[in-house]
Amino acid sequence: MLLRKSLMVVLAMMLVVVTIGVSKSSAATGFYVSGTKLYDSTGKPFVMRGVNHSHTWFKNDLNAAIPAIAKTGANTVRIVLSDGTQYTKDDINSVKNILALVNQYKMIAVLEVHDATGSDDVAKLNNAVNYWISIKDALVGKEDRVIINIANEWYGSWNSEGWANGYKQAIPKLRNAGLNHTLIVDAAGWGQYPQSIVDYGQAVLAADSKKNTVFSIHMYQYAGKDDATVKANMENVINKGLALIIGEFGGFHQGEDVDEYAIMKYGQQKGVGWLAWSWYGNSSDLSYLDLNNGPAGSLTSAGNVVVNDPNGIKATSKKAGIYQ
């Protein structure tokens, strides 16, 4: 009897070891997409709640801005970078520094290249792709805390096919270079033409050997003008079986209203991540988009909504599993 009990204990212990081994071996090395959802490396659904930070134009403010953004409770910060073709390049060492600081404050870094904004030129998209490959030593191994937004608002035209053709070429280049991170692709039409994702998002995803691509709508006066538009634009992408975030939005844009409350409300209802534009530093004609008075100042009225609304950052942000 004693021998049988001992044998049962040994077998139970072996089962625990095997189970642990299976869970470890099947754990993801980084973020991944499954259906319409983004998951972190611990297997938990991850819904972005955060802001954009215009780093490339305010390179000296990093150490003030990142801790201040973290204090809002944000789980993600989207960082504006430059590949050097239009703005001052952010080199590999500066990117390493950015990532170390964002990691210290337990946020996920979404990195984007801003130089190709509004362009339909495939060469400019390729410049962004080549930039990511050139700094890959700063990125590889951080797939659980870094997401690559390939090119901010590349493809300014409201045209689906040209947009898709560009990304169907760009994504394989990144994968062939060994960049296995979750990728983000902005919609055509300066990010405001979600029909491009509805039309060709599945084809763009199919070009990704990792099937690890999230699509992004930038919601301003067209894509986010009112409650019904916001709801429809989110649902139309989700209904295609694609993962979605709202990579930028504000409450007002170029003389027209944007329904930021609907963006946050439906973002919460549908599990769609969002990143408000932008922490501070917009030009005088766009200063209404500033969320904060300086890199580490006080929240503006727009910032107060994004941070403190019942559907805002403080109430809805949950840290990635690696930071819990």
Side-chain angles (χ1 to χ4, degrees), residues 4-50:
R4 182 179 294 176
K5 284 184 178 178
S6 299
L7 182 60
M8 290 175 66
V9 170
V10 170
L11 288 171
M13 289 177 68
M14 288 175 66
L15 180 61
V16 169
V17 169
V18 169
T19 303
I20 291 172
V22 168
S23 65
K24 282 186 176 179
S25 65
S26 61
T29 56
F31 282 94
Y32 62 95
V33 170
S34 180
T36 63
K37 300 298 181 185
L38 176 66
Y39 293 85
D40 67 29
S41 61
T42 71
K44 296 177 181 177
F46 183 71
V47 182
M48 296 183 196
R49 292 286 182 263

Side-chain angles (χ1 to χ4, degrees), residues 26-93:
S26 61
T29 56
F31 282 94
Y32 62 95
V33 170
S34 180
T36 63
K37 300 298 181 185
L38 176 66
Y39 293 85
D40 67 29
S41 61
T42 71
K44 296 177 181 177
F46 183 71
V47 182
M48 296 183 196
R49 292 286 182 263
V51 304
N52 285 263
H53 171 50
S54 302
H55 169 76
T56 203
W57 304 305
F58 303 100
K59 298 185 196 296
N60 294 328
D61 291 345
L62 185 72
N63 290 312
I66 296 303
I69 292 169
K71 284 182 182 177
T72 69
N75 62 20
T76 307
V77 57
R78 182 171 181 256
I79 302 284
V80 178
L81 298 176
S82 171
D83 61 22
T85 58
Q86 184 169 349
Y87 309 109
T88 305
K89 184 177 181 178
D90 295 287
D91 64 20
I92 188 169
N93 289 327

Side-chain angles (χ1 to χ4, degrees), residues 52 54 56-57 78-83 85-87 112-128 149-157 163 167 186-192 218 220 248 253-254 277 286:
N52 285 263
S54 302
T56 203
W57 304 305
R78 182 171 181 256
I79 302 284
V80 178
L81 298 176
S82 171
D83 61 22
T85 58
Q86 184 169 349
Y87 309 109
E112 61 102 333
V113 165
H114 218 78
D115 305 69
T117 299
S119 174
D120 294 356
D121 187 352
V122 174
K124 291 189 176 181
L125 178 60
N126 284 331
N127 287 338
N149 192 164
I150 302 173
N152 180 71
E153 296 177 2
W154 179 77
Y155 217 81
S157 295
W163 166 85
Y167 279 110
D186 293 351
W190 297 75
Q192 287 210 78
H218 290 184
Y220 294 109
E248 292 184 15
H253 197 242
Q254 297 178 340
W277 184 275
L286 297 171

Side-chain angles (χ1 to χ4, degrees), residues 244-260:
L244 174 68
I245 65 162
I246 310 306
E248 292 184 15
F249 71 96
F252 189 78
H253 197 242
Q254 297 178 340
E256 297 183 56
D257 191 44
V258 185
D259 195 341
E260 71 273 38

Side-chain angles (χ1 to χ4, degrees), residues 166-177:
Y167 279 110
K168 285 192 286 185
Q169 296 174 45
I171 291 172
K173 291 176 185 176
L174 292 169
R175 296 306 189 207
N176 290 338

Side-chain angles (χ1 to χ4, degrees), residues 131-205:
Y131 172 75
W132 297 123
I133 295 170
S134 75
I135 64 164
K136 80 179 232 183
D137 286 349
L139 308 174
V140 172
K142 297 182 175 67
E143 295 84 358
D144 60 350
R145 62 203 67 202
V146 175
I147 293 173
I148 299 172
N149 192 164
I150 302 173
N152 180 71
E153 296 177 2
W154 179 77
Y155 217 81
S157 295
W158 289 53
N159 174 280
S160 302
E161 189 172 5
W163 166 85
N165 287 339
Y167 279 110
K168 285 192 286 185
Q169 296 174 45
I171 291 172
K173 291 176 185 176
L174 292 169
R175 296 306 189 207
N176 290 338
L179 290 165
N180 297 322
H181 305 67
T182 295
L183 303 175
I184 296 175
V185 170
D186 293 351
W190 297 75
Q192 287 210 78
Y193 185 51
Q195 189 63 36
S196 58
I197 304 171
V198 174
D199 291 341
Y200 284 101
Q202 290 173 330
V204 172
L205 180 64

